[in-house]
Amino acid sequence: MKSTISVLKADIGSLAGHHMVHPDTIAVATKVLSEGKKQGIINDFYPTFVGDDMEFIISHNRGELDQRVHELVWNALKEAASKAKELGLYAAGQDLLSDSFSGNLKGMGPGIAEMEIEERPSEPFVVFMADKTEPGAFNLPLFKMFADPFNTAGLVIDPALHDGFKFEILDVYEGESITLNTPEESYDLLALIGTPDRYIIRRIYRKQDNMLAAVVTTERLNLIAGKYVGKDDPAMIVRVQHGLPALGETLEAFTVPYLVAGWMRGSHYGPLMPVSQKDARATRFDGPPRLVGLGFNLKNGRLVGPSDLFDDPAFDEVRRTANIIADYMRRHGPFMPHRLEPQVMEYTTLPKVMERLKGRFKKEEGTNKVKASIYTSSETNE
């Protein structure tokens, strides 16, 4: 029998602003999921949070996008949102973009990362969850895990990894996908995923046998809702060991606090800081963007764990560097490159400010209007 690992998450309201999930909302959601476990809808679950996002890590045998599993989670999120409203929490129900359930959670606001797998004799995996950033924030570390031999030694010395991996990329603006192979198409891959607000790594497969190795939430809330409703705060599942990157190789990809889009009002670049569960709260400038990593094993459809992987002094220097980068970026104030580029800011609240100035611009003679877009022109400039 195949097992399914599902990570389903949403911002349903938080304490003291976009800060952290209130424990009472987790408690009411847990009650709903516990009843679903008793009924045999799911095998096991682990509720948690990062920043203002409630996260459910669930195991079951029903496959991806299963109606009963998704409806159970929808009910848990609705109950949690109701409790958030009762407590007067900030942005209660923010990510729930529909009033009624419609078969599965796709397009309804919550983030979805699921993989149906054949359990190995030992099935270790990691769930990475980020707050105050976007799905493309995982592009860089996923490339390092599965395609960079300077990060992952197994790509060189382990025959099971040596043939490389297949990367499934989603263009979230055009609604198209493409699959590229590494190492032979690594440069083509980088040409796309280096634009993480548009091209997002959705799934990764081991090339030699098509084993599913990683899956990422790709929901872009502003594209679903048609307006800014908060950052997307991605999660991903990464299987490790036994012919896949080792646990330490996956964690090594986060030893540089690289810049990601999000942070305050979803409008700034800031360093992604790996933290322990106890520090998974948004504070400075509603951040900095946070990352939690929980390690599990799956056995006969049941979760074993977790281990709080970044609760380790080995990552203290990464956090110190992240704080230095945060200081540097904040000193730019409202200027780029701290503030996001214009085409990304179109999906924030800034256009409402710009609308007030629209009628005051005057056409200048001898100037040309330039189309401000990326990768859409049939001509290229040398």
Side-chain angles (χ1 to χ4, degrees), residues 9-59:
K9 47 80 58 183
D11 181 349
I12 52 80
S14 52
L15 177 66
H18 292 295
H19 173 54
M20 64 172 286
V21 174
H22 195 285
D24 287 359
T25 62
I26 294 180
V28 297
T30 298
K31 185 176 180 180
V32 175
L33 294 178
S34 295
E35 184 61 33
K37 183 177 177 180
K38 289 180 182 176
Q39 295 174 9
I41 299 173
I42 59 177
N43 296 333
D44 209 353
F45 70 95
Y46 184 82
T48 187
F49 75 94
V50 55
D52 55 8
D53 286 284
M54 184 175 290
E55 314 259 353
F56 302 134
I57 302 159
I58 297 172
S59 64

Coordinates of all heavy atoms in Angstrom, one line a residue, residues 9-59:
K9 N -1.2 24.1 4.9 CA -1.0 25.2 5.8 C -1.8 26.4 5.4 O -2.2 26.6 4.2 CB 0.5 25.5 5.9 CG 1.2 25.6 4.5 CD 1.1 26.9 3.8 CE 1.5 28.1 4.6 NZ 1.2 29.3 3.8
A10 N -2.0 27.3 6.3 CA -2.7 28.6 6.0 C -2.5 29.5 7.2 O -2.3 29.1 8.3 CB -4.2 28.3 5.8
D11 N -2.6 30.8 6.9 CA -2.7 31.9 7.9 C -4.1 32.1 8.2 O -4.9 32.6 7.4 CB -2.0 33.1 7.3 CG -2.0 34.3 8.4 OD1 -2.7 34.2 9.4 OD2 -1.4 35.3 8.1
I12 N -4.5 31.7 9.5 CA -5.9 31.9 9.8 C -6.1 32.9 10.9 O -7.2 33.1 11.5 CB -6.5 30.5 10.3 CG1 -5.7 29.9 11.4 CG2 -6.7 29.5 9.1 CD1 -5.8 30.4 12.8
G13 N -5.1 33.7 11.2 CA -5.1 34.7 12.2 C -4.0 34.5 13.2 O -3.6 33.4 13.5
S14 N -3.5 35.6 13.7 CA -2.3 35.5 14.6 C -2.3 36.5 15.7 O -3.1 37.5 15.7 CB -1.0 35.7 13.8 OG -1.1 36.9 13.0
L15 N -1.5 36.3 16.7 CA -1.4 37.1 17.9 C -0.5 38.3 17.7 O 0.6 38.2 17.2 CB -0.8 36.2 19.1 CG -0.6 36.9 20.4 CD1 -1.9 37.3 21.0 CD2 0.2 35.9 21.3
A16 N -1.0 39.5 18.1 CA -0.2 40.7 18.1 C 0.3 41.1 16.8 O 1.4 41.4 16.6 CB 0.9 40.6 19.1
G17 N -0.6 41.0 15.7 CA -0.1 41.3 14.4 C 0.3 40.0 13.7 O 0.0 38.9 14.1
H18 N 1.1 40.2 12.6 CA 1.6 39.0 11.9 C 2.8 38.4 12.6 O 3.9 38.4 12.1 CB 2.1 39.5 10.5 CG 1.0 39.9 9.6 ND1 0.0 39.1 9.2 CD2 0.7 41.1 9.1 CE1 -0.9 39.7 8.4 NE2 -0.5 41.0 8.3
H19 N 2.5 37.8 13.8 CA 3.6 37.4 14.7 C 3.7 35.9 14.9 O 4.6 35.3 14.6 CB 3.3 38.2 16.1 CG 4.2 37.7 17.2 ND1 5.6 37.7 17.1 CD2 3.9 37.3 18.4 CE1 6.1 37.3 18.2 NE2 5.1 37.0 19.0
M20 N 2.6 35.3 15.5 CA 2.7 33.9 15.8 C 1.2 33.4 15.9 O 0.3 34.1 16.2 CB 3.5 33.6 17.0 CG 2.9 34.1 18.3 SD 3.7 33.6 19.8 CE 3.1 31.9 19.9
V21 N 1.1 32.1 15.7 CA -0.2 31.4 15.8 C -0.5 31.2 17.3 O 0.4 30.8 18.1 CB -0.1 30.0 15.1 CG1 -1.4 29.2 15.4 CG2 0.1 30.2 13.6
H22 N -1.7 31.5 17.7 CA -2.2 31.4 19.1 C -2.4 29.9 19.4 O -3.0 29.2 18.6 CB -3.4 32.2 19.3 CG -3.8 32.4 20.7 ND1 -4.3 31.4 21.5 CD2 -3.7 33.5 21.5 CE1 -4.5 31.9 22.7 NE2 -4.1 33.1 22.8
P23 N -1.9 29.4 20.5 CA -2.1 28.0 20.9 C -3.5 27.5 20.9 O -3.8 26.4 20.7 CB -1.4 27.9 22.2 CG -1.2 29.2 22.8 CD -1.1 30.1 21.6
D24 N -4.5 28.4 21.2 CA -5.9 28.0 21.3 C -6.4 27.7 19.9 O -7.3 26.8 19.8 CB -6.7 29.1 21.9 CG -6.5 29.3 23.4 OD1 -5.7 28.5 24.0 OD2 -7.1 30.2 24.0
T25 N -5.9 28.3 18.9 CA -6.4 28.0 17.5 C -5.8 26.6 17.1 O -6.5 25.9 16.4 CB -6.0 29.1 16.5 OG1 -4.5 29.2 16.5 CG2 -6.6 30.4 16.9
I26 N -4.6 26.3 17.5 CA -4.0 25.0 17.2 C -4.8 23.9 18.0 O -5.1 22.8 17.4 CB -2.5 24.9 17.6 CG1 -1.7 25.9 16.7 CG2 -2.0 23.5 17.5 CD1 -0.2 25.9 17.0
A27 N -5.3 24.2 19.2 CA -6.0 23.3 20.0 C -7.3 22.9 19.3 O -7.7 21.7 19.3 CB -6.2 23.8 21.4
V28 N -8.1 23.9 18.8 CA -9.4 23.5 18.2 C -9.2 22.8 16.9 O -9.9 21.9 16.5 CB -10.2 24.8 18.0 CG1 -10.6 25.4 19.3 CG2 -9.6 25.8 17.1
A29 N -8.1 23.2 16.1 CA -7.8 22.4 14.9 C -7.4 21.0 15.2 O -7.8 20.1 14.5 CB -6.7 23.2 14.1
T30 N -6.6 20.8 16.2 CA -6.2 19.5 16.6 C -7.4 18.6 17.0 O -7.4 17.4 16.6 CB -5.2 19.6 17.8 OG1 -4.0 20.3 17.4 CG2 -4.8 18.2 18.3
K31 N -8.4 19.1 17.6 CA -9.6 18.4 17.9 C -10.3 17.8 16.7 O -10.7 16.7 16.6 CB -10.5 19.2 18.8 CG -11.7 18.5 19.3 CD -12.6 19.4 20.2 CE -13.8 18.7 20.7 NZ -14.7 19.6 21.5
V32 N -10.3 18.7 15.6 CA -11.0 18.2 14.4 C -10.1 17.1 13.7 O -10.7 16.1 13.3 CB -11.1 19.4 13.4 CG1 -11.6 19.0 12.1 CG2 -12.0 20.5 14.0
L33 N -8.8 17.3 13.7 CA -8.0 16.3 13.1 C -7.9 15.0 13.8 O -7.9 13.9 13.3 CB -6.5 16.9 12.9 CG -6.4 18.0 12.0 CD1 -4.9 18.5 11.9 CD2 -6.8 17.7 10.5
S34 N -8.0 15.1 15.2 CA -8.1 13.9 16.0 C -9.3 13.1 15.7 O -9.2 11.8 15.7 CB -8.0 14.3 17.5 OG -6.8 14.9 17.8
E35 N -10.4 13.7 15.5 CA -11.6 13.0 15.1 C -11.5 12.3 13.8 O -11.9 11.2 13.6 CB -12.8 14.0 15.1 CG -14.2 13.4 14.9 CD -14.5 12.3 15.9 OE1 -14.1 12.5 17.1 OE2 -15.2 11.3 15.6
G36 N -10.8 13.0 12.8 CA -10.6 12.4 11.5 C -9.7 11.2 11.6 O -9.9 10.2 10.9
K37 N -8.7 11.2 12.5 CA -7.9 10.1 12.7 C -8.7 8.9 13.3 O -8.5 7.7 12.9 CB -6.7 10.5 13.7 CG -5.7 9.3 13.9 CD -4.6 9.8 14.8 CE -3.6 8.7 15.1 NZ -2.4 9.2 16.0
K38 N -9.6 9.2 14.3 CA -10.4 8.1 14.8 C -11.3 7.5 13.7 O -11.5 6.3 13.8 CB -11.3 8.7 15.9 CG -10.6 9.1 17.2 CD -11.6 9.7 18.2 CE -10.8 10.1 19.5 NZ -11.8 10.7 20.5
Q39 N -11.7 8.3 12.8 CA -12.6 7.8 11.7 C -11.8 7.1 10.6 O -12.4 6.5 9.7 CB -13.4 9.0 11.1 CG -14.4 9.6 12.1 CD -15.0 10.9 11.5 OE1 -14.9 11.2 10.3 NE2 -15.7 11.6 12.3
G40 N -10.5 7.1 10.7 CA -9.7 6.4 9.7 C -9.5 7.2 8.4 O -9.0 6.7 7.5
I41 N -9.8 8.5 8.5 CA -9.6 9.3 7.3 C -8.1 9.6 7.1 O -7.5 9.5 6.0 CB -10.3 10.7 7.4 CG1 -11.8 10.4 7.5 CG2 -10.0 11.6 6.2 CD1 -12.6 11.7 7.8
I42 N -7.4 9.8 8.2 CA -5.9 10.0 8.2 C -5.3 9.0 9.2 O -6.0 8.5 10.1 CB -5.5 11.4 8.5 CG1 -6.0 11.8 9.9 CG2 -6.0 12.4 7.5 CD1 -5.6 13.2 10.4
N43 N -4.0 8.7 9.0 CA -3.3 7.8 9.9 C -2.7 8.5 11.0 O -2.7 8.0 12.2 CB -2.2 7.0 9.1 CG -2.7 6.1 8.0 OD1 -3.9 5.6 8.1 ND2 -1.9 5.9 7.0
D44 N -2.1 9.7 10.8 CA -1.4 10.4 11.8 C -1.3 11.8 11.4 O -1.5 12.2 10.2 CB 0.0 9.8 11.9 CG 0.6 9.9 13.4 OD1 -0.1 10.6 14.2 OD2 1.6 9.3 13.6
F45 N -1.0 12.7 12.4 CA -0.8 14.1 12.0 C 0.1 14.8 13.1 O 0.2 14.3 14.2 CB -2.1 14.8 11.9 CG -2.9 15.0 13.2 CD1 -2.7 16.2 13.9 CD2 -3.7 14.0 13.7 CE1 -3.4 16.4 15.1 CE2 -4.4 14.2 14.9 CZ -4.3 15.4 15.6
Y46 N 0.7 15.9 12.7 CA 1.5 16.7 13.6 C 1.1 18.2 13.3 O 1.5 18.7 12.3 CB 3.0 16.5 13.5 CG 3.8 17.2 14.5 CD1 4.0 16.8 15.8 CD2 4.4 18.4 14.1 CE1 4.7 17.5 16.7 CE2 5.2 19.1 15.1 CZ 5.3 18.6 16.4 OH 6.1 19.4 17.3
P47 N 0.5 18.9 14.3 CA 0.2 20.3 14.1 C 1.3 21.2 14.6 O 1.9 20.9 15.6 CB -1.1 20.5 14.9 CG -0.9 19.6 16.1 CD -0.1 18.4 15.5
T48 N 1.6 22.2 13.8 CA 2.7 23.1 14.3 C 2.5 24.5 13.6 O 1.4 24.7 13.0 CB 4.1 22.5 13.9 OG1 5.1 23.3 14.5 CG2 4.3 22.4 12.4
F49 N 3.5 25.4 13.7 CA 3.4 26.7 13.1 C 4.7 27.2 12.8 O 5.8 26.8 13.4 CB 2.6 27.6 14.0 CG 3.4 28.1 15.2 CD1 4.1 29.3 15.1 CD2 3.4 27.4 16.4 CE1 4.8 29.8 16.2 CE2 4.1 27.8 17.5 CZ 4.8 29.0 17.4
V50 N 4.8 28.2 11.9 CA 6.0 29.1 11.7 C 5.4 30.5 11.5 O 4.6 30.7 10.6 CB 6.9 28.6 10.6 CG1 6.1 28.5 9.3 CG2 8.1 29.6 10.4
G51 N 5.8 31.4 12.4 CA 5.3 32.8 12.3 C 3.8 32.7 12.5 O 3.2 32.1 13.4
D52 N 3.1 33.4 11.5 CA 1.6 33.4 11.6 C 0.9 32.3 10.8 O -0.3 32.4 10.5 CB 1.1 34.8 11.2 CG 1.6 35.2 9.8 OD1 2.2 34.3 9.1 OD2 1.4 36.4 9.4
D53 N 1.6 31.3 10.4 CA 1.1 30.2 9.6 C 0.9 28.9 10.4 O 1.8 28.4 11.0 CB 2.0 30.0 8.4 CG 1.9 31.0 7.3 OD1 0.9 31.1 6.6 OD2 2.8 31.9 7.3
M54 N -0.3 28.4 10.3 CA -0.6 27.1 10.9 C -0.3 26.0 9.9 O -0.6 26.1 8.7 CB -2.1 27.0 11.3 CG -2.5 25.8 12.0 SD -4.3 25.8 12.6 CE -4.2 27.1 13.9
E55 N 0.4 25.0 10.4 CA 0.9 23.9 9.5 C 0.4 22.6 10.0 O 0.6 22.3 11.2 CB 2.4 24.0 9.4 CG 3.0 25.3 9.2 CD 3.4 25.6 7.8 OE1 3.4 24.7 7.0 OE2 3.8 26.8 7.5
F56 N -0.1 21.7 9.1 CA -0.5 20.4 9.4 C 0.4 19.4 8.6 O 0.3 19.4 7.4 CB -1.9 20.1 9.2 CG -2.9 21.0 9.9 CD1 -3.9 21.6 9.2 CD2 -2.7 21.3 11.2 CE1 -4.8 22.5 9.9 CE2 -3.6 22.2 11.9 CZ -4.6 22.8 11.2
I57 N 1.1 18.6 9.3 CA 1.9 17.5 8.6 C 1.1 16.2 8.9 O 0.9 15.8 10.0 CB 3.3 17.4 9.2 CG1 4.0 18.7 9.0 CG2 4.1 16.2 8.6 CD1 5.2 18.9 10.0
I58 N 0.6 15.6 7.8 CA -0.4 14.5 7.9 C 0.1 13.3 7.0 O 0.7 13.5 6.0 CB -1.7 15.0 7.3 CG1 -2.2 16.1 8.2 CG2 -2.7 13.9 7.2 CD1 -3.5 16.8 7.6
S59 N -0.1 12.1 7.6 CA 0.1 10.9 6.8 C -1.2 10.1 6.6 O -2.1 10.1 7.5 CB 1.1 10.0 7.5 OG 0.6 9.5 8.8

